[in-house]
Amino acid sequence: MKMSYLKGLALAIDEAMAAEPRVILMGSRMGGHLTAQENEAFAGVLDRYAERIFMNVPIAEFGLAGAAVGASLAGGRPLLSFNIGSFMLHGFPPIVNEAPNVHYTTGGRCSAPVTYYALGGIRGGGSSQHSHRLQAMLGNVPGLQILAPATAGDAYGLLKWCLLESRNPTVFFAHTDLLLSEDEADGASPLLPVGSARISRAGHDITLIAHSVTVPRALAAADALAADHGVSAEVIDLRTLAPLDAATVVDSVRKTGHAVVVDECHKSFGVNAEIAATLAEAALSHLKAPIGRVATADVPIPYNLSLEREISVTPDKIVQGALSTLEGRASC
Amino acid sequence: MKMSYLKGLALAIDEAMAAEPRVILMGSRMGGHLTAQENEAFAGVLDRYAERIFMNVPIAEFGLAGAAVGASLAGGRPLLSFNIGSFMLHGFPPIVNEAPNVHYTTGGRCSAPVTYYALGGIRGGGSSQHSHRLQAMLGNVPGLQILAPATAGDAYGLLKWCLLESRNPTVFFAHTDLLLSEDEADGASPLLPVGSARISRAGHDITLIAHSVTVPRALAAADALAADHGVSAEVIDLRTLAPLDAATVVDSVRKTGHAVVVDECHKSFGVNAEIAATLAEAALSHLKAPIGRVATADVPIPYNLSLEREISVTPDKIVQGALSTLEGRASC
Amino acid sequence: MLLIRRFEEGMLRLHGRGILPCHFHVSIGQEATAVAVCGAAEEHDVLFTNHRSNGHLIARGADPGWMFAEQLGRVGGNTNGKGGTLHMIAPELGMPWTTSLVGCSVPMAVGAALIHKQQRRPGVVIAFFGDGVMEEGAFYEGINLAALWHVPLVCVCENNGVPTELRKLDTTQPSTFLARRLADIPSAFGIPCATIDGADVEGLFDLMTEVVGTVRRDLAPYFVEVRTTRYPGNRALWPELAGAETDLAWAWDEGEPPEQLAAWSRDSDPLMGFVRRLLAQGAVSRDDVTRIDAAIAARIDEAMESAIRSPQPPPDSAYGDVWAAREGSS
Amino acid sequence: MLLIRRFEEGMLRLHGRGILPCHFHVSIGQEATAVAVCGAAEEHDVLFTNHRSNGHLIARGADPGWMFAEQLGRVGGNTNGKGGTLHMIAPELGMPWTTSLVGCSVPMAVGAALIHKQQRRPGVVIAFFGDGVMEEGAFYEGINLAALWHVPLVCVCENNGVPTELRKLDTTQPSTFLARRLADIPSAFGIPCATIDGADVEGLFDLMTEVVGTVRRDLAPYFVEVRTTRYPGNRALWPELAGAETDLAWAWDEGEPPEQLAAWSRDSDPLMGFVRRLLAQGAVSRDDVTRIDAAIAARIDEAMESAIRSPQPPPDSAYGDVWAAREGSS
Ligand SMILES: Cc1ncc(C[n+]2csc(CCOP(=O)(O)OP(=O)(O)O)c2C)c(N)n1
Ligand SMILES: Cc1ncc(C[n+]2csc(CCOP(=O)(O)OP(=O)(O)O)c2C)c(N)n1
Ligand SMILES: [Mg+2]
Ligand SMILES: [Mg+2]
């Protein structure tokens, strides 16, 4: 069955709430400005579980993030939606410094199974304050699961897993530019435990390592590389950033000998840095060329759409990065 | 003149406040639990500029961080001390999403020359909530200068530069374990613009890339490597993480062919990842072995001091990491 | 008020033409607040606006020309396409930085006011913000600091969702914010408060003149809650034109507002109320009103068209302005 | 109260021996609050304590043995050396997680109370926190949510810096927090409030019984400010013994407290006051007091010595407990 990413989220929530009465839903809407599509995807869900839905809330990201931790400590399994990811910064004290510490600091006696949801990313006109991609920042927080799936099926499977199975705190990043994308998926797909990457396209000349919105862009680049340059690119969708499936990445690069990391975070200190470092540590002898890093430029996000595009990751830039790497040059 | 790191900070503040009436000092004390030593280092300073000192403040990190941005917008040059770095998380909305955006988002018309000071790091019994090292997280924020000097002289020079010359927002990380360390420095040292690393010890077999508290540990490891293993290690003190002096790092590794990044951040997504990625992109062909990453383990910080030591970066672990790299093995 | 209204109706037309880059906000029905506050402000004062900034800027004297260009992200705006609708700034008018994070402006305004006081500068600081700000913790940290440091700060809280019949009172039914009387909170911190009907521009002007004067004299914070009733076009996520653009002739009963606008226009629109009172007092004639309106409409049309013709900023300008040059070097 | 006092005096002795890993806190002078609140609480209630947790834990029934081990970071504590002084927990007593971030516990307690209500669980939630919490924005976001969701939450604000002469009133001189009457703030959010002298354990017990009962019945939040006067040993950054350990014989004028302690012991110590009243009422004899105290002292000494003998956790245990196993698997 074809399903949109938004519908995948709605279905995961619907099924999880049906299966598990401890699941509650808090916070803001999940579809950004796609109100109509969100309403359609969620039709019925919010009514069906009305007494477990707390979506009419004040503008109080810290308070809500903290309340979600508390709810998880008391035996709830809360999903808190921030809508726009940038607002998650307000909730960093609980998200970074409460939830991920609970299990460890209590010597394994308690845990905080809370799931935070946000639309990460550059969204068109969001300018500097509404376009954050916080996954790299949060990656430096031990004890926090970070998910950034790229497809409807994975969004469904991972979110449902978080709500039903995980006993760790999780941050789940969706992306405005993915919400309406469709792929084959259905409610019968198995739960998807965190920590496993997916090879989205097999190839043998070069590995493109992507996550979230950069996956479809890397796939488009792989098409262009094949069609225009006769290059066979393997595309890896990381899906979960913490825990990271380093083995899949390393194995692929051992095979292709070339790697370009594709990342919507700013380049410096981005997810791309961790992947490149992992390869430099674990696959160095297999690398035939410098690791390319195609990422958002190290500038705040500008408002104007052509400027925004200029500093963003595009299939074109990925193609250029791949070609540079294949020629043995650094990509920037 | 021998000077402690604390004294370097005090002297920078004293001289900057004398030279520039727009400098104000806000927030909490700067020396953590070293009250007596802090009082001695700052003797007189707080009285001398009493009307520009706002150190009796509520527990309101967000409010203070925001107020500091506002003060800088209105023509002040504030220094805001958080004391313990973990509390800076409360101030992330202004620190991450206001100050660094001002210059860019106003098209270069305004700027926010605010300096945030904190004691970063693992401090002995701080447990999970009081031991943060936030420099890697903040590295992914364009427009934010990040300083983490290791010596009294650099602390003095960089802090004074921030207070007098910089027109960009800056986060300055000191470290409890550095505050009492002494080195040659005096008030006549030149201002130290951000963005330049220092070669703390020259060597030719391997490059150890460190910052903040890992610099003395890397130097100790270099001594041991020389004495016990006949290895000549070059030690680089990054001093400023953003902007990063990649050239100094790359040049050194081109020369030695071996690199170990030494970092008190958690390993995954730490500063070490950015440095390793920079090398994998820009110096790959010169690398004779995988890049070693010696960093704090990916676990929250435990309370017990022997557990804390177990997961921390020590000279021993750096020596082991260097030897592994020299043998061509990954260091972990 | 009329210039603001016509500017924002112009924004709705731009939106209709599909050329605004993204979500935006209009302050239709809140114009009196902007006009009264900026009327009471002086040149050296510093103002912080928010995501709903058009009124504040125009009332402060900003030119609709660059404002349209800014809204469109074009050259000729104030930021060369970098800031845009959520970050409308005018440093030349004492509006150096605009945040769109709900709540952040309050502590920033406090810090600015601290500098004004500490450097003995002329000028107070004025912060405009919505009622939603009081749901954010930053507000409380900010007002506590304002009270602690005793800084010259005027907090203008635009409570823009008050039902018509409650507008002249000082309490509302709790929604997501549980305090029934907003002013109770700053009062608890020892900050003087006033509450006023935002449809009453004359009353607003008198009050704001007094408040700003008091803050200027006492160098201490003040909190004003201005209560307005939501414009029917502001009920959905995206603003829309409720029925029709304002026709000032409704003031003399020539034609009628569309049904969805009628009650609001009659009871809650500060602009129509003001026009009606001016006419009733004989301060202006219908002809005056029509003539002024036509001139403003022409000015808006021209500003809008010139903004639309304005070029996109060059792509590589995206890489500039990250780092400010060091002190004294620029 | 006496067990708490002797435990914390034991902490000061451990500190004197230089074997505490780091900075710690004692609640000397606040014991009555802990005892009264925990006395009013029931088994199913969930409690959130803070960095100053010894009293809350002991009053809830925690054993001094594991508590000393936890304070020392040893095996035998409740977290195998991972948590320590800032994170004293007791899941078995309804205290699953302790934050030492000022302010964070309030929203967490609200969320826990939401679950209690939504799952129709027995038990209310009780949050202990200091007056400093009201300087943090999180507090306000938390109480607004508590009022919005109408959750069974008892906020116990321990205002521990009130001058003796003001303790029975409900206002203080503003310091870094500008609200003179703390209760004004929850009141503004529609939350019922009470204010009480923290040296009056009987009064506290009556009040807390009533408050906890009301919250249990109405499933709605309540705020209590408990006002205590700072123990002279709690004035510097590190706690220290002010003069001498408490000698209960001071209650019958055998010997005298050291000068620095005398006024506090006479006017502000809830423990000494209680002992004096019990003696005056004839409810206990001097002998009873002495005997009980000796038994407690022995228990504390033994607990402390056994904790000191307890081993360090094995080094590689540092790498465990990062990830919790999936649901149902453990
Ligand atoms: C920190 C933060 N959270 C959420 C938002 C999203 N947001 C933008 S405007 C708005 C409503 C603000 O309400 P109010 O302050 O009353 O201003 P109004 O829009 O009514 O003028 C919200 C929630 C934001 N911009 N910043
Ligand atoms: C967010 C945060 N900021 C600062 C601190 C440092 N700190 C620890 S205890 C304390 C004082 C708290 O005062 P109060 O809440 O009144 O509790 P008390 O110590 O008086 O019991 C402070 C500032 C902290 N732990 N957390
Ligand atoms: Mg509003
Ligand atoms: Mg206190």
Side-chain angles (χ1 to χ4, degrees):
Chain A
M1 183 178 91
K2 277 264 184 204
M3 188 193 284
S4 74
Y5 198 103
L6 252 177
K7 185 71 200 164
L9 297 173
L11 193 62
I13 291 170
D14 195 358
E15 294 180 5
M17 293 191 94
E20 172 54 88
R22 291 178 298 167
V23 175
I24 66 170
L25 181 54
M26 312 165 75
S28 313
R29 310 194 45 145
M30 300 177 72
H33 290 143
L34 302 172
T35 319
Q37 295 91 331
E38 180 180 355
N39 287 345
E40 197 200 311
F42 280 81
V45 179
L46 302 191
D47 299 329
R48 200 142 44 239
Y49 312 101
E51 59 182 35
R52 285 187 275 148
I53 308 267
F54 304 91
M55 300 285 274
N56 184 24
V57 291
I59 317 169
E61 293 85 1
F62 188 152
L64 288 164
V69 178
S72 76
L73 292 168
R77 297 185 62 84
L79 169 63
L80 172 63
S81 167
F82 284 92
N83 197 357
I84 297 174
S86 299
F87 307 152
M88 204 180 256
L89 287 165
H90 282 68
F92 263 37
I95 297 171
V96 170
N97 209 3
E98 300 286 352
N101 291 332
V102 169
H103 191 64
Y104 190 83
T105 307
T106 62
R109 303 206 42 198
C110 301
S111 61
V114 47
T115 303
Y116 297 109
Y117 167 92
L119 284 172
I122 301 174
R123 62 166 198 186
S127 194
S128 55
Q129 288 193 319
H130 286 71
S131 305
H132 284 83
R133 294 119 290 132
L134 300 175
Q135 53 266 48
M137 282 192 173
L138 294 171
N140 203 226
V141 181
L144 195 59
Q145 294 172 164
I146 303 171
L147 314 185
T151 66
D154 287 350
Y156 163 80
L158 283 169
L159 184 56
K160 196 168 160 193
W161 191 84
C162 289
L163 297 180
L164 291 181
E165 296 283 322
S166 168
R167 282 175 60 235
N168 296 302
T170 304
V171 180
F172 185 109
F173 287 108
H175 196 291
T176 312
D177 287 358
L178 290 174
L179 289 180
L180 302 183
S181 70
E182 301 207 329
D183 60 59
E184 285 304 323
D186 60 66
S189 328
L191 298 183
L192 207 58
V194 301
S196 93
R198 167 210 287 286
I199 296 182
S200 297
R201 174 188 172 119
H204 46 78
D205 295 330
I206 187 166
T207 306
L208 307 178
I209 303 134
H211 70 276
S212 184
V213 77
T214 59
V215 172
R217 295 181 196 165
L219 288 169
D223 285 346
L225 283 166
D228 304 341
H229 305 279
V231 169
S232 160
E234 179 144 306
V235 177
I236 294 183
D237 174 357
L238 293 169
R239 301 199 290 197
T240 85
L241 304 174
L244 184 70
D245 181 359
T248 298
V249 177
V250 168
D251 286 349
S252 171
V253 174
R254 286 197 172 139
K255 179 178 73 178
T256 64
H258 293 92
V260 172
V261 199
V262 189
D263 180 14
E264 209 201 19
C265 293
H266 296 291
K267 182 176 173 185
S268 294
F269 297 86
V271 169
N272 70 89
E274 174 59 27
I275 307 299
T278 300
L279 290 170
E281 192 182 21
L284 192 100
S285 60
H286 299 84
L287 281 168
K288 300 183 194 133
I291 300 173
R293 300 165 69 185
V294 179
T296 301
D298 286 334
V299 308
I301 308 306
Y303 175 66
N304 175 285
L305 296 181
S306 60
L307 298 189
E308 187 188 90
R309 192 176 161 80
E310 170 68 25
I311 56 102
S312 296
V313 174
T314 58
D316 263 12
K317 290 190 192 169
I318 303 170
V319 169
Q320 291 315 314
L323 296 176
S324 298
T325 292
L326 287 166
E327 288 164 20
R329 289 188 285 108
S331 60
C332 64
Chain B
M1 182 179 92
K2 276 265 186 205
M3 189 192 286
S4 74
Y5 199 104
L6 252 178
K7 185 71 199 165
L9 297 173
L11 193 63
I13 291 169
D14 194 359
E15 293 180 6
M17 293 193 95
E20 171 56 86
R22 290 177 299 166
V23 175
I24 66 170
L25 182 53
M26 312 165 75
S28 314
R29 310 195 48 148
M30 301 177 73
H33 291 140
L34 302 172
T35 318
Q37 294 91 333
E38 180 180 355
N39 287 345
E40 196 199 312
F42 280 81
V45 179
L46 302 192
D47 298 330
R48 200 140 49 237
Y49 313 102
E51 60 181 35
R52 285 187 275 148
I53 308 267
F54 303 91
M55 300 284 273
N56 184 23
V57 291
I59 317 169
E61 294 84 1
F62 188 152
L64 290 163
V69 178
S72 75
L73 292 167
R77 298 186 61 83
L79 170 63
L80 172 62
S81 167
F82 284 91
N83 197 356
I84 296 175
S86 298
F87 307 151
M88 205 181 255
L89 287 165
H90 282 68
F92 263 37
I95 298 171
V96 169
N97 208 4
E98 299 287 351
N101 292 331
V102 169
H103 191 63
Y104 190 83
T105 306
T106 62
R109 304 205 43 199
C110 301
S111 61
V114 47
T115 303
Y116 297 108
Y117 167 93
L119 283 173
I122 301 174
R123 62 168 197 184
S127 193
S128 56
Q129 289 194 318
H130 285 72
S131 305
H132 284 83
R133 293 118 291 132
L134 300 175
Q135 53 266 47
M137 282 192 171
L138 293 170
N140 202 226
V141 181
L144 195 59
Q145 293 173 163
I146 303 171
L147 314 185
T151 67
D154 287 350
Y156 163 80
L158 284 168
L159 184 57
K160 196 167 161 192
W161 190 85
C162 289
L163 297 180
L164 291 181
E165 296 283 323
S166 168
R167 282 175 59 237
N168 296 303
T170 304
V171 179
F172 185 110
F173 288 107
H175 196 292
T176 312
D177 287 357
L178 289 173
L179 289 179
L180 302 182
S181 69
E182 301 207 328
D183 61 60
E184 285 304 324
D186 62 64
S189 327
L191 298 184
L192 206 58
V194 300
S196 94
R198 166 209 288 284
I199 296 182
S200 296
R201 174 189 172 120
H204 46 78
D205 295 329
I206 188 166
T207 306
L208 307 179
I209 303 134
H211 70 276
S212 185
V213 77
T214 59
V215 173
R217 296 182 197 165
L219 288 169
D223 285 346
L225 283 166
D228 304 341
H229 305 278
V231 169
S232 160
E234 179 145 303
V235 176
I236 295 183
D237 174 357
L238 294 170
R239 301 200 290 200
T240 85
L241 304 175
L244 183 70
D245 181 358
T248 299
V249 177
V250 168
D251 286 350
S252 171
V253 174
R254 286 197 171 139
K255 181 179 73 179
T256 63
H258 293 93
V260 171
V261 199
V262 189
D263 180 14
E264 209 201 22
C265 293
H266 294 292
K267 181 177 174 186
S268 293
F269 298 86
V271 169
N272 70 87
E274 174 59 27
I275 306 300
T278 300
L279 291 170
E281 192 182 21
L284 192 101
S285 60
H286 299 84
L287 281 168
K288 300 182 194 135
I291 300 174
R293 301 165 69 186
V294 179
T296 300
D298 286 334
V299 307
I301 308 305
Y303 174 66
N304 175 285
L305 296 179
S306 60
L307 298 188
E308 187 188 90
R309 192 177 161 82
E310 171 68 25
I311 56 102
S312 295
V313 174
T314 58
D316 262 11
K317 290 190 191 170
I318 303 170
V319 169
Q320 290 315 315
L323 295 176
S324 298
T325 292
L326 288 166
E327 288 164 22
R329 290 188 284 110
S331 61
C332 64
Chain C
M1 284 200 277
L2 189 54
L3 186 62
I4 301 171
R5 176 69 50 91
R6 295 304 182 205
F7 180 88
E8 297 200 308
E9 288 170 346
M11 286 295 295
L12 294 171
R13 266 181 279 146
L14 284 178
H15 177 47
R17 289 162 72 168
I19 55 176
L20 287 174
C22 74
H23 193 232
F24 67 103
H25 302 85
V26 295
S27 61
I28 295 177
Q30 300 174 220
E31 297 90 342
T33 316
V35 166
V37 172
C38 293
E42 292 181 3
E43 190 189 336
H44 295 293
D45 296 342
V46 165
L47 285 76
F48 286 87
T49 174
N50 60 359
H51 57 286
R52 208 175 288 288
S53 58
N54 295 322
H56 310 148
L57 279 157
I58 291 177
R60 185 70 176 161
D63 178 63
W66 73 252
M67 283 180 59
F68 276 126
E70 184 67 28
Q71 291 278 7
L72 289 167
R74 303 294 174 82
V75 169
N78 241 347
T79 70
N80 271 314
K82 299 226 168 104
T85 189
L86 292 176
H87 305 283
M88 302 286 289
I89 57 146
E92 63 283 5
L93 301 171
M95 302 173 77
W97 170 243
T98 299
T99 180
S100 57
L101 297 179
V102 171
C104 269
S105 69
V106 176
M108 289 198 294
V110 173
L114 178 67
I115 290 295
H116 276 243
K117 179 166 177 176
Q118 182 262 318
Q119 296 187 356
R120 296 193 180 73
R121 297 240 217 112
V124 303
V125 176
I126 300 175
F128 290 100
F129 53 87
D131 49 297
V133 160
M134 294 181 71
E135 300 179 347
E136 286 279 4
F139 171 77
Y140 302 86
E141 298 187 14
I143 61 168
N144 187 40
L145 286 170
L148 171 68
W149 289 331
H150 224 255
V151 294
L153 172 70
V154 184
C155 290
V156 181
C157 176
E158 302 191 62
N159 189 354
N160 59 359
V162 182
T164 315
E165 65 280 10
L166 299 180
R167 219 172 47 239
K168 290 183 194 306
L169 309 180
D170 65 356
T171 61
T172 36
Q173 278 312 98
S175 56
T176 54
F177 188 61
L178 275 285
R180 297 192 62 216
R181 190 186 284 112
L182 300 189
D184 280 352
I185 288 166
S187 295
F189 288 84
I191 297 175
C193 296
T195 298
I196 189 165
D197 175 4
D200 169 13
V201 68
E202 298 94 332
L204 257 167
F205 189 79
D206 291 346
L207 175 70
M208 290 315 309
T209 305
E210 197 191 309
V211 165
V212 174
T214 304
V215 169
R216 205 178 297 289
R217 189 188 63 223
D218 298 349
L219 298 181
Y222 214 115
F223 177 93
V224 180
E225 177 194 354
V226 185
R227 298 158 69 88
T228 55
T229 301
R230 195 176 305 291
Y231 167 62
N234 256 344
R235 287 197 184 125
L237 188 56
W238 288 74
E240 56 199 20
L241 190 69
E245 296 195 355
T246 308
D247 183 348
L248 297 181
W250 296 336
W252 52 89
D253 297 323
E254 245 175 50
E256 263 194 14
E259 199 192 320
Q260 61 197 114
L261 202 59
W264 184 82
S265 178
R266 185 188 62 231
D267 302 325
S268 304
D269 181 354
L271 173 63
M272 290 303 296
F274 186 53
V275 173
R276 270 188 242 108
R277 285 193 297 278
L278 286 180
L279 287 166
Q281 292 159 14
V284 294
S285 69
R286 295 179 185 184
D287 272 5
D288 292 340
V289 169
T290 312
R291 209 181 48 248
I292 294 169
D293 194 18
I296 284 179
R299 190 171 160 203
I300 290 292
D301 284 349
E302 196 196 304
M304 186 156 52
E305 291 311 320
S306 115
I308 292 173
R309 284 189 309 270
S310 182
Q312 304 282 350
D316 67 359
S317 68
Y319 302 102
D321 299 329
V322 179
W323 300 113
R326 56 189 279 176
E327 274 296 326
S329 68
S330 73
Chain D
M1 285 199 279
L2 188 55
L3 185 61
I4 300 171
R5 176 69 50 91
R6 295 306 181 204
F7 180 88
E8 297 200 308
E9 288 171 346
M11 286 294 295
L12 294 171
R13 267 182 278 147
L14 283 178
H15 176 47
R17 288 161 72 168
I19 54 175
L20 287 174
C22 74
H23 192 231
F24 66 103
H25 302 84
V26 295
S27 60
I28 296 177
Q30 300 174 220
E31 296 91 343
T33 316
V35 166
V37 172
C38 293
E42 293 181 3
E43 191 191 333
H44 295 293
D45 296 340
V46 165
L47 284 78
F48 286 88
T49 173
N50 60 0
H51 56 286
R52 208 175 288 286
S53 58
N54 296 321
H56 310 147
L57 280 157
I58 291 176
R60 184 71 175 159
D63 177 64
W66 74 252
M67 285 180 59
F68 276 126
E70 184 66 28
Q71 291 278 7
L72 289 167
R74 302 293 174 83
V75 169
N78 240 347
T79 70
N80 270 315
K82 297 224 168 106
T85 189
L86 294 175
H87 306 284
M88 302 287 288
I89 57 147
E92 63 283 6
L93 301 172
M95 303 175 77
W97 170 242
T98 299
T99 180
S100 56
L101 298 179
V102 172
C104 269
S105 68
V106 177
M108 289 197 294
V110 172
L114 178 66
I115 290 295
H116 276 243
K117 179 169 177 175
Q118 182 261 316
Q119 296 187 356
R120 294 192 179 72
R121 297 243 215 109
V124 304
V125 175
I126 300 174
F128 291 99
F129 53 86
D131 50 294
V133 160
M134 295 183 70
E135 300 179 347
E136 287 279 4
F139 171 77
Y140 301 87
E141 299 188 12
I143 61 168
N144 187 40
L145 287 170
L148 172 66
W149 290 331
H150 224 256
V151 294
L153 172 69
V154 185
C155 291
V156 181
C157 176
E158 302 191 62
N159 190 352
N160 58 0
V162 183
T164 315
E165 65 280 12
L166 300 180
R167 218 172 48 240
K168 289 181 194 306
L169 309 181
D170 64 356
T171 60
T172 36
Q173 276 313 96
S175 56
T176 55
F177 187 62
L178 274 285
R180 296 191 62 217
R181 190 186 284 112
L182 299 188
D184 280 353
I185 289 167
S187 295
F189 288 83
I191 296 175
C193 296
T195 298
I196 188 164
D197 174 4
D200 170 14
V201 68
E202 299 94 333
L204 258 167
F205 188 79
D206 291 346
L207 176 70
M208 290 315 309
T209 305
E210 195 190 311
V211 165
V212 174
T214 304
V215 169
R216 204 178 297 289
R217 189 188 63 224
D218 298 350
L219 299 180
Y222 213 113
F223 177 93
V224 180
E225 177 194 355
V226 184
R227 299 158 69 88
T228 54
T229 300
R230 195 176 305 291
Y231 168 61
N234 256 343
R235 288 198 183 123
L237 189 55
W238 288 74
E240 56 199 20
L241 190 69
E245 298 194 355
T246 307
D247 184 347
L248 297 181
W250 296 336
W252 53 89
D253 297 322
E254 244 175 52
E256 265 196 11
E259 199 192 320
Q260 61 197 111
L261 201 60
W264 185 83
S265 178
R266 186 187 62 231
D267 303 325
S268 304
D269 181 355
L271 173 64
M272 290 303 295
F274 186 54
V275 173
R276 268 188 244 106
R277 286 193 298 278
L278 287 180
L279 287 167
Q281 292 158 12
V284 295
S285 69
R286 295 178 185 184
D287 272 5
D288 292 339
V289 169
T290 312
R291 208 180 50 249
I292 294 169
D293 194 19
I296 285 178
R299 187 170 162 203
I300 289 292
D301 284 349
E302 195 198 305
M304 186 155 57
E305 291 311 320
S306 117
I308 292 173
R309 284 189 310 269
S310 183
Q312 304 283 349
D316 67 358
S317 68
Y319 302 103
D321 299 328
V322 179
W323 301 113
R326 57 188 280 178
E327 272 297 325
S329 68
S330 73

